Amino acid sequence: MCQEVGHAVQLALSRRGLLKAGAGASLAAVSLMLGGAPLAAGAASTGSARGDDGKQYDTRLILLGTAGGPAWFPGSNRRGIASALRVGESTYMVDCGDGAAGQLARALMNDSDQPQTFALLEPLRALFFTHLHSDHVVDYNNLLLQGWTAGLGRRQPLEVLGPGPRGELPPVFQVPGRPAKEPPAVFPEAPTPGTVQMTDGIFRAFATDLNDRIRDYLWPDLRGLVQVRDIALPTIPGFVTPNQTPAPHMAPFEVWSDANVRVTATLVAHAPVFPSFAFRFDSAEGSVVFSGDTAPCDNLVRLARDADVLVHEVIDAAWVDRLFPPPFDEAIDALKHHLLSAHTSIEDAGRVAERAGAKTLVLSHVIPHNLGDDRLKLAGRHYSGRVVPGHDLDTIGVGRRRAA
Ligand SMILES: [Zn+2]
Ligand SMILES: [Zn+2]
């Protein structure tokens, strides 16, 4: 989840005097910050597949995890953010939050006529990372290591595409009236690695396991089952540096294609994160757009023009208000603005979908995790299409039903 939420946690901890109470109390407060209070009756999702019968569609979206934020939500049926798009026999994955690898295996098991435990991931063709916040990538090592026994890369190497290195450290959060204190950088020799470096780091961290299984089981080298690429940005007029223009106005650009889909991307407004992408998948049956994490963003509206399905992140602005009840000082006032400036409120998600002319709006990356469907449906106030409050393992059909 986002850096600004990290600041929110710190400020809330200070505010509640919990910093002195030790790690246990701190973690409890973090959970509270992300919506970890006991669930209201009826607030939890069923966790079961709902809506369209996915198998009736050649192209179908499966929500693997619908929670936003770097935390576990044990009282909830939501796992970390991740989605899958199935087109015919191929599967494309977007983001890989907490629990995503197991959710993908579960989804492919449910979605297959003859599932085989050791071949579940054979259809997985490509994985796309919107950005490298931990809540979008934390299960990546799990997908790779456990996918090794589930057919990952067996038909052809799994292609992984994501942001390249940021190139410069983000600015230190400015609390009004206080001088910013520059913290020491983590690994200053490479403080903002991209997707290729991140993957290499995972392989290095698990070298003991890789060498063991390659030698003892005679398994193929896992590294050869994966092809990883940092997404190269086109030349963008007006772009200066990530710290000045993290989401410059730009046209969508193609990042990948195969016989089933053409994938285009754009930069979205999730400052200070850079690059932070939204993706659009166009197939013969229709189009599905994933917003990634973003504030309302013209680049996204352009990318999502007339899309069949827009999967959009959402944060409950009223929850943010409740989190910091008045009286609040200037710092919290600034922080509230910051929290809301890098994400999209429920009603604004509807406005974005309306501007784009998207036919169906699926709400995911839900913050807080225990947000009820009634509140999520408020997106329909400013949107004339279909609103789907997303829940884990929901399937949404795209295009025509298959002939009976
Ligand atoms: Zn996120
Ligand atoms: Zn994020």
Side-chain angles (χ1 to χ4, degrees), residues 1-2 67-69 81 131 133 135-136 270 293 313 343 365 367:
M1 168 107 152
C2 308
I81 184 68
H131 64 298
H133 265 158
D135 58 319
H136 295 249
H270 192 43
D293 285 9
E313 69 119 275
H343 293 284
H365 194 280
I367 301 175

Side-chain angles (χ1 to χ4, degrees), residues 208-228:
T208 297
D209 181 81
L210 299 186
N211 281 313
D212 180 278
R213 297 188 199 280
I214 289 169
R215 288 165 177 263
D216 191 31
Y217 303 176
L218 301 181
W219 281 4
D221 189 333
L222 179 59
R223 296 173 301 171
L225 302 178
V226 184
Q227 284 181 358
V228 189

Side-chain angles (χ1 to χ4, degrees), residues 2-169:
C2 308
Q3 180 167 326
E4 56 272 24
V5 172
H7 292 299
V9 170
Q10 287 191 351
L11 281 172
L13 293 177
S14 304
R15 184 181 169 93
R16 291 166 187 163
L18 288 171
L19 280 174
K20 295 174 188 161
S26 298
L27 289 172
V30 170
S31 174
L32 183 67
M33 292 290 301
L34 294 169
L39 289 173
S45 75
T46 63
S48 59
R50 308 177 320 157
D52 307 319
D53 179 354
K55 288 183 184 177
Q56 295 184 15
Y57 293 82
D58 186 63
T59 296
R60 47 209 187 267
L61 164 71
I62 306 174
L63 305 179
L64 302 176
T66 56
W72 294 296
F73 306 108
S76 163
N77 288 323
R78 294 190 195 277
R79 305 299 299 270
I81 184 68
S83 308
L85 185 68
R86 299 212 74 187
V87 182
E89 296 305 311
S90 293
T91 299
Y92 309 86
M93 187 174 182
V94 177
D95 287 331
C96 196
D98 176 51
Q103 289 288 82
L104 177 66
R106 204 164 288 124
L108 294 178
M109 174 85 81
N110 293 341
D111 204 46
S112 300
D113 294 326
Q114 295 179 312
Q116 297 176 19
T117 302
F118 297 109
L120 283 174
L121 264 50
E122 282 190 4
L124 182 60
R125 185 74 186 84
L127 165 63
F128 299 80
F129 288 122
T130 58
H131 64 298
L132 300 185
H133 265 158
S134 63
D135 58 319
H136 295 249
V137 301
V138 73
D139 224 40
Y140 181 33
N141 60 311
N142 192 8
L143 181 77
L144 295 174
L145 272 292
Q146 306 231 142
W148 208 3
T149 61
L152 181 138
R154 195 176 292 158
R155 289 183 191 162
Q156 51 194 323
L158 170 68
E159 296 199 37
V160 179
L161 291 82
R166 189 178 195 279
E168 63 178 336
L169 284 165

Side-chain angles (χ1 to χ4, degrees), residues 132-294:
L132 300 185
H133 265 158
S134 63
D135 58 319
H136 295 249
V137 301
V138 73
D139 224 40
Y140 181 33
N141 60 311
N142 192 8
L143 181 77
L144 295 174
L145 272 292
Q146 306 231 142
W148 208 3
T149 61
L152 181 138
R154 195 176 292 158
R155 289 183 191 162
Q156 51 194 323
L158 170 68
E159 296 199 37
V160 179
L161 291 82
R166 189 178 195 279
E168 63 178 336
L169 284 165
V172 179
F173 182 72
Q174 288 283 159
V175 177
R178 274 192 235 155
K181 202 172 155 195
E182 183 84 24
V186 175
F187 298 122
E189 70 283 3
T192 60
T195 305
V196 169
Q197 276 180 282
M198 178 177 70
T199 308
D200 185 63
I202 289 172
F203 287 141
R204 287 178 185 278
F206 284 92
T208 297
D209 181 81
L210 299 186
N211 281 313
D212 180 278
R213 297 188 199 280
I214 289 169
R215 288 165 177 263
D216 191 31
Y217 303 176
L218 301 181
W219 281 4
D221 189 333
L222 179 59
R223 296 173 301 171
L225 302 178
V226 184
Q227 284 181 358
V228 189
R229 176 159 62 86
D230 291 342
I231 294 173
L233 291 170
T235 301
I236 305 169
F239 175 71
V240 185
T241 69
N243 287 349
Q244 287 190 42
T245 50
H249 189 68
M250 66 183 294
F253 64 103
E254 182 173 314
V255 296
W256 199 77
S257 68
D258 67 4
N260 295 316
V261 294
R262 175 174 182 261
V263 183
T264 47
T266 196
L267 289 168
V268 289
H270 192 43
V273 177
F274 177 91
S276 190
F277 293 115
F279 295 115
R280 175 179 180 129
F281 291 71
D282 283 288
S283 77
E285 288 296 319
S287 50
V288 180
V289 175
F290 300 90
S291 72
D293 285 9
T294 183

